[in-house]
Amino acid sequence: MASEVRQKATLAQTAATIMNKMTTGQKNNALSAMADALIKDQASIIEANALDLERGRENGTSPSLLDRLALNEDRVAGIAEGLRQVVDLPDPVGELIEQFDRPNGLRVEKTRVPLGVIGMIYEARPNVTVDAVGLCLKTGNCVVLRGGSAALESNRKIVEVLRNALATTDLPEDAIQLIEDSDRASVNEMLKLNGLLDVVIPRGGAALIRNVVENATVPVIETGAGICHTYVDESADYDMAEQIAFNAKVQRPSVCNSMETLVLHEAFAERHLQQIADRFVSANVELRGDKRTSERLSQIKLATEQDFATEYNDYVLNIRIVANLDEALDHIRKFSTKHSECIVTENAEHAERFLNEVDAAAVYHNASTRFTDGFEFGFGAEIGISTQKLHARGPMGLPALTSTKYRVYGNGQIRG
Amino acid sequence: MASEVRQKATLAQTAATIMNKMTTGQKNNALSAMADALIKDQASIIEANALDLERGRENGTSPSLLDRLALNEDRVAGIAEGLRQVVDLPDPVGELIEQFDRPNGLRVEKTRVPLGVIGMIYEARPNVTVDAVGLCLKTGNCVVLRGGSAALESNRKIVEVLRNALATTDLPEDAIQLIEDSDRASVNEMLKLNGLLDVVIPRGGAALIRNVVENATVPVIETGAGICHTYVDESADYDMAEQIAFNAKVQRPSVCNSMETLVLHEAFAERHLQQIADRFVSANVELRGDKRTSERLSQIKLATEQDFATEYNDYVLNIRIVANLDEALDHIRKFSTKHSECIVTENAEHAERFLNEVDAAAVYHNASTRFTDGFEFGFGAEIGISTQKLHARGPMGLPALTSTKYRVYGNGQIRG
């Protein structure tokens, strides 16, 4: 007998044929029906969530993780509202991307089509379950969800509610599949389902993403890891530099587009190191400095190579002092995860060099790296932030969940 | 000490920083210099190739493989001419794809950038070496080549000539790397070089591609496998159907866009099966039919499930008879590799259903599947035909060898 994973992926693959035919109107109706159902059935969802929370507390889960896991009426309302926002986004499917006629009379059209079946592998936050369903269904895809075991009861109830809602619409219930097997083997089985899954998208911590990248034979869209730098050039305006750096580190340290290392031109450091360090220390940021920094700042820990290669996602910041832009570029080239990188400078030539030469999904001149985000970019939704170079790079909106198809119209053409 | 693969990929990664800055003019000059050098040094290339051919003959290599491997003055001239054609193609790098201003004053530009370092894994044809170098360098990428061991002497000399030519230009010699280690382990090492290779592109037979897809942790662009169908509908014009099907099978059976299975509506088969079968038999095509076909045609082999799932790349054709369009769509869904699929029909509604519902890189109405090709589509070059849904699908021109980067211009914006 086929495993749960294979069975459910096969059901999704079959449903993909129906999803492929759904109009924008039919898909939007389904999204609205799902949003209504979440509100109507919120009591049972919150009840199921309570079981997850109870088990989490028994297992000694940290308060911050429990908070991410927890659902209440406000949060369910927010999740439902997220679905309604997706209704309002333009549907990329069917878009005519290119059209050309060949000398032999063939007409070629390149149009946007759904990817097919998307595998989502993620951790404990049950809102991701609904977000993923909304974005995948809006783009005509089916989705196979494999959330963290800590949220299993919540996810099971949410998916039941969503599938029941679909049953009242034209969309096939089987477009949504939840893998309930919480053994890690079920993840690894998903990663090898070529022919049933068209893509796998991991969302979560570094270990989860590494496991997916290392073991998947299905194409992957890699998301997440961010060792982001802010380089403050000699000519930078002090107030602007401090504000941008502080925002990049402190406004929300736990996310991928926050800063891990502040790179300072030595002339800037000569004038302002103590002042900018004090600002971070006052916000309880632990500082670690390279040798030049530690010679200038008393009581700073020495940063190791490993520190410069670490995504802290926390109130910890490395400081590196460089002699010039080239040295800054070298440091970034060595340690960047190619997510988001910033230069603060009043020197236009240096800005252009930085933006051209730094290899990253998003490069900033005089703005915080925290803006690398689908909503901040105005996409109205975000599946994740791609840190790979194929298919999609940076914040991914709905078009990242589509592929293309060439339609060729002839009247008997053959190749000579 | 690092292995040959790691050493050379590291050199390429370093050269990528320089390649990233090269202008279209600098890149075109280098392509022209390489074309000139191939002509100037053709004697030494043909000499090196003779060593490969001699070794091939000693090892009992088939005449057709020896023919693919062989170089002579005409072929070297053709290869050099291919480089010159790439000079004439527009450079996709630097293209401004999107540009928008955010309410907070941020200006966001999405531009096309090189991928970085491309790993090419391919088989015995030495022309692929030069093609790959031309396309990768034109798009600002570095390339790590791992050709088949049967062509090692030819590739070594060709790469020496190309690198020497680069030394006379602004481009770094290290943009071209050849892995000479002919052990298969060197391929598998390339497949795991995340951080040094940005993408791996396999070109070759099914076994080579399967090995790459199954073992790569580096992102892959899958190319090649084609089990293509031609469905002849009830209303099809006989002459058009015969010409299209015959062209799809016989014009060049060895390539991925040729037809493997002819699917016939039973009403069409009732009238024309014998006639169309005779046409194929007269061209020495071996026919294998499903049960309905074998009941109508004497002396036809029965096609097995395995036959319908085989890419023959040869003078062999399966015939399947179906009751209606739905049955044809089911058959194609089951056996298609999602490369190229064709319907021959005079029924516009059936044509639209087929083009919409068949999930393939290219879908045809009344034209041969043999047109799925970068040159036939007018791209002026072809890196391969992608059979995956991510990044690029169908014939890949130069833009498939690029990624994108968001440049964000601010004046002190921070996130609230």
Side-chain angles (χ1 to χ4, degrees):
Chain A
M1 211 187 77
S3 66
E4 184 203 6
V5 169
R6 179 166 288 274
Q7 273 182 30
K8 291 185 170 173
T10 304
L11 290 171
Q13 188 66 48
T14 304
T17 307
I18 303 168
M19 281 300 293
N20 182 49
K21 300 182 207 173
M22 293 293 112
T23 64
T24 304
Q26 287 172 311
K27 293 184 288 188
N28 284 343
N29 283 345
L31 264 59
S32 300
M34 292 193 296
D36 292 345
L38 288 173
I39 300 296
K40 189 170 75 61
D41 294 333
Q42 57 181 315
S44 67
I45 292 170
I46 292 168
E47 209 172 290
N49 182 249
L51 298 174
D52 283 331
L53 290 171
E54 192 184 322
R55 189 159 35 90
R57 274 187 292 264
E58 283 168 9
N59 295 343
T61 304
S62 74
S64 71
L65 269 180
L66 286 175
D67 179 59
R68 286 200 211 180
L69 175 58
L71 293 177
N72 54 34
E73 288 198 8
D74 275 0
R75 288 193 176 178
V76 173
I79 291 171
E81 181 53 29
L83 278 181
R84 293 191 209 283
Q85 285 169 5
V86 177
V87 170
D88 294 334
L89 295 177
D91 182 355
V93 171
E95 185 198 339
L96 184 61
I97 296 171
E98 246 181 288
Q99 178 170 11
F100 47 89
D101 292 299
R102 300 295 304 148
N104 60 7
L106 285 180
R107 177 155 52 94
V108 183
E109 292 179 0
K110 184 180 187 177
T111 54
R112 227 178 249 293
V113 296
L115 281 169
V117 182
I118 297 173
M120 290 288 308
I121 295 173
Y122 54 105
E123 289 173 334
R125 290 159 56 206
N127 62 311
V128 175
T129 305
V130 181
D131 284 357
V133 167
L135 299 171
C136 289
L137 266 52
K138 175 81 184 205
T139 44
N141 294 292
C142 297
V143 61
V144 178
L145 303 156
R146 175 45 169 89
S149 55
L152 184 58
E153 297 296 337
S154 314
N155 286 338
R156 200 181 263 157
K157 177 54 72 178
I158 288 170
V159 167
E160 183 191 320
V161 169
L162 298 178
R163 285 177 53 110
N164 287 344
L166 282 197
T168 69
T169 74
D170 295 334
L171 269 61
E173 281 175 76
D174 279 339
I176 310 174
Q177 301 290 337
L178 176 71
I179 303 302
E180 303 188 15
D181 179 354
S182 61
D183 195 282
R184 186 162 163 172
S186 68
V187 170
N188 289 330
E189 189 182 355
M190 278 177 73
L191 301 179
K192 311 275 186 199
L193 280 189
N194 300 61
L196 288 178
L197 297 185
D198 292 290
V199 57
V200 167
I201 304 178
R203 289 199 54 177
L208 180 146
I209 290 168
R210 197 165 46 241
N211 178 52
V212 169
V213 168
E214 281 176 7
N215 292 300
T217 54
V218 172
V220 172
I221 301 179
E222 191 175 345
T223 65
I227 298 180
C228 305
H229 301 77
T230 302
Y231 168 58
V232 181
D233 201 19
E234 180 172 11
S235 68
D237 173 81
Y238 177 77
D239 290 332
M240 187 193 286
E242 188 197 278
Q243 277 191 51
I244 287 174
F246 191 77
N247 184 260
K249 178 74 249 178
V250 173
Q251 195 248 350
R252 199 169 168 204
S254 63
V255 291
C256 57
N257 56 19
S258 65
M259 171 177 64
E260 305 301 353
T261 298
L262 178 64
V263 182
L264 301 175
H265 188 284
E266 61 182 0
F268 182 92
E270 212 57 68
R271 298 193 297 274
H272 300 296
L273 179 60
Q274 188 66 57
Q275 188 179 1
I276 202 164
D278 288 346
R279 177 79 198 275
F280 282 108
V281 169
S282 74
N284 294 316
V285 175
E286 177 195 328
L287 300 180
R288 304 184 188 178
D290 71 343
K291 197 156 161 295
R292 290 188 240 192
T293 306
S294 66
E295 287 163 2
R296 289 168 169 87
L297 272 189
S298 55
Q299 298 180 305
I300 190 170
K301 266 195 199 165
L302 202 64
T304 62
E305 285 273 302
Q306 184 54 43
D307 286 333
F308 285 117
T310 298
E311 184 179 6
Y312 296 120
N313 283 338
D314 206 346
Y315 288 85
V316 184
L317 176 69
N318 303 313
I319 301 181
R320 167 83 200 266
I321 295 177
V322 296
N324 50 44
L325 175 59
D326 283 307
E327 215 178 287
L329 291 170
D330 283 343
H331 180 91
I332 291 170
R333 193 174 300 120
K334 187 166 172 191
F335 293 105
S336 165
T337 55
K338 305 186 178 180
H339 188 299
S340 299
E341 305 291 350
C342 166
I343 183 171
V344 185
T345 188
E346 297 298 311
N347 181 322
E349 199 185 307
H350 284 193
E352 269 313 283
R353 268 199 67 200
F354 187 94
L355 299 192
N356 286 334
E357 294 183 25
V358 170
D359 183 18
V363 286
Y364 290 83
H365 177 210
N366 291 349
S368 166
T369 55
R370 288 278 295 111
F371 287 109
T372 304
D373 176 282
F375 294 94
E376 292 295 331
F377 275 23
F379 300 164
E382 183 187 281
I383 296 99
I385 296 170
S386 165
T387 52
Q388 68 183 30
K389 293 186 184 175
L390 286 193
H391 187 67
R393 196 179 192 199
M396 294 187 287
L398 290 177
L401 294 183
T402 66
S403 182
T404 60
K405 181 199 264 191
Y406 285 106
R407 285 178 164 78
V408 186
Y409 297 89
N411 47 24
Q413 281 84 350
I414 59 172
R415 193 157 162 191
Chain B
M1 210 187 78
S3 65
E4 183 203 7
V5 169
R6 180 166 287 276
Q7 274 183 29
K8 291 185 171 175
T10 305
L11 290 171
Q13 187 67 48
T14 304
T17 309
I18 305 168
M19 281 299 293
N20 182 47
K21 299 181 206 172
M22 294 292 112
T23 64
T24 304
Q26 287 171 311
K27 293 184 288 189
N28 284 343
N29 283 343
L31 264 58
S32 299
M34 292 194 296
D36 292 345
L38 287 173
I39 300 296
K40 190 170 74 61
D41 294 333
Q42 58 182 316
S44 67
I45 292 169
I46 292 167
E47 210 170 290
N49 181 250
L51 298 175
D52 284 330
L53 290 171
E54 192 182 323
R55 190 160 33 90
R57 273 187 293 264
E58 283 168 10
N59 296 343
T61 304
S62 73
S64 72
L65 270 180
L66 286 174
D67 178 60
R68 288 200 210 180
L69 175 56
L71 293 176
N72 54 36
E73 289 198 8
D74 275 359
R75 287 193 175 178
V76 173
I79 291 170
E81 180 54 28
L83 278 181
R84 293 191 209 283
Q85 286 170 4
V86 177
V87 170
D88 294 333
L89 294 178
D91 182 355
V93 171
E95 183 198 340
L96 183 61
I97 297 171
E98 247 181 289
Q99 178 171 10
F100 48 88
D101 293 301
R102 300 295 304 148
N104 60 7
L106 285 180
R107 178 155 50 94
V108 183
E109 293 179 0
K110 184 179 187 178
T111 54
R112 228 178 249 292
V113 297
L115 281 169
V117 183
I118 297 172
M120 290 287 307
I121 296 173
Y122 54 105
E123 289 174 334
R125 292 157 56 205
N127 61 311
V128 174
T129 304
V130 181
D131 285 357
V133 166
L135 299 171
C136 290
L137 266 53
K138 174 82 186 204
T139 44
N141 295 292
C142 297
V143 62
V144 178
L145 303 156
R146 171 54 167 80
S149 55
L152 184 58
E153 296 297 335
S154 313
N155 286 338
R156 200 180 262 156
K157 177 55 72 177
I158 289 170
V159 166
E160 184 192 318
V161 168
L162 297 179
R163 283 176 54 109
N164 287 344
L166 282 196
T168 69
T169 75
D170 296 334
L171 270 59
E173 280 175 76
D174 279 338
I176 310 173
Q177 301 290 337
L178 176 71
I179 304 302
E180 303 189 14
D181 179 353
S182 60
D183 194 283
R184 185 161 163 172
S186 68
V187 170
N188 289 331
E189 190 182 354
M190 279 178 72
L191 300 180
K192 311 274 186 200
L193 279 188
N194 300 61
L196 288 178
L197 298 185
D198 292 289
V199 58
V200 168
I201 304 177
R203 290 198 53 177
L208 181 147
I209 290 169
R210 197 164 47 240
N211 178 51
V212 169
V213 169
E214 281 175 7
N215 292 300
T217 54
V218 173
V220 172
I221 302 179
E222 191 175 346
T223 65
I227 298 181
C228 304
H229 301 76
T230 302
Y231 167 59
V232 181
D233 200 20
E234 181 171 10
S235 67
D237 174 80
Y238 177 76
D239 289 334
M240 187 193 285
E242 187 197 279
Q243 278 191 52
I244 287 174
F246 191 78
N247 184 260
K249 178 74 251 178
V250 173
Q251 195 250 351
R252 201 170 167 203
S254 63
V255 292
C256 57
N257 56 19
S258 65
M259 170 177 65
E260 306 299 353
T261 298
L262 178 63
V263 182
L264 301 176
H265 188 284
E266 60 183 0
F268 181 92
E270 211 58 67
R271 296 193 297 273
H272 300 297
L273 178 61
Q274 187 68 55
Q275 188 180 0
I276 202 164
D278 288 347
R279 178 80 197 274
F280 282 108
V281 169
S282 74
N284 293 316
V285 175
E286 178 195 327
L287 300 181
R288 302 184 189 179
D290 70 343
K291 197 157 162 293
R292 290 187 241 192
T293 307
S294 67
E295 287 163 4
R296 287 168 169 86
L297 271 190
S298 53
Q299 298 180 308
I300 189 171
K301 266 195 201 167
L302 202 63
T304 63
E305 284 273 301
Q306 186 52 45
D307 287 332
F308 285 117
T310 298
E311 184 178 6
Y312 296 120
N313 283 338
D314 206 344
Y315 289 85
V316 184
L317 176 69
N318 303 313
I319 301 181
R320 167 84 200 266
I321 294 176
V322 295
N324 50 44
L325 174 59
D326 283 306
E327 213 178 288
L329 292 169
D330 283 343
H331 181 91
I332 291 170
R333 193 175 300 119
K334 185 165 174 192
F335 294 104
S336 167
T337 54
K338 307 185 177 180
H339 187 300
S340 300
E341 305 293 349
C342 166
I343 183 172
V344 185
T345 187
E346 296 299 309
N347 181 323
E349 198 186 307
H350 284 193
E352 270 313 285
R353 268 198 67 198
F354 187 94
L355 298 192
N356 285 334
E357 295 183 25
V358 170
D359 183 17
V363 285
Y364 291 83
H365 176 210
N366 290 350
S368 167
T369 55
R370 287 278 295 111
F371 286 109
T372 303
D373 176 282
F375 294 94
E376 291 296 330
F377 276 23
F379 300 165
E382 182 187 283
I383 296 98
I385 296 170
S386 165
T387 51
Q388 68 182 30
K389 294 186 183 175
L390 287 193
H391 187 67
R393 195 178 194 201
M396 294 187 287
L398 291 176
L401 293 183
T402 65
S403 181
T404 60
K405 180 199 267 191
Y406 286 105
R407 286 177 163 80
V408 185
Y409 297 90
N411 47 24
Q413 283 83 351
I414 59 173
R415 193 158 162 190

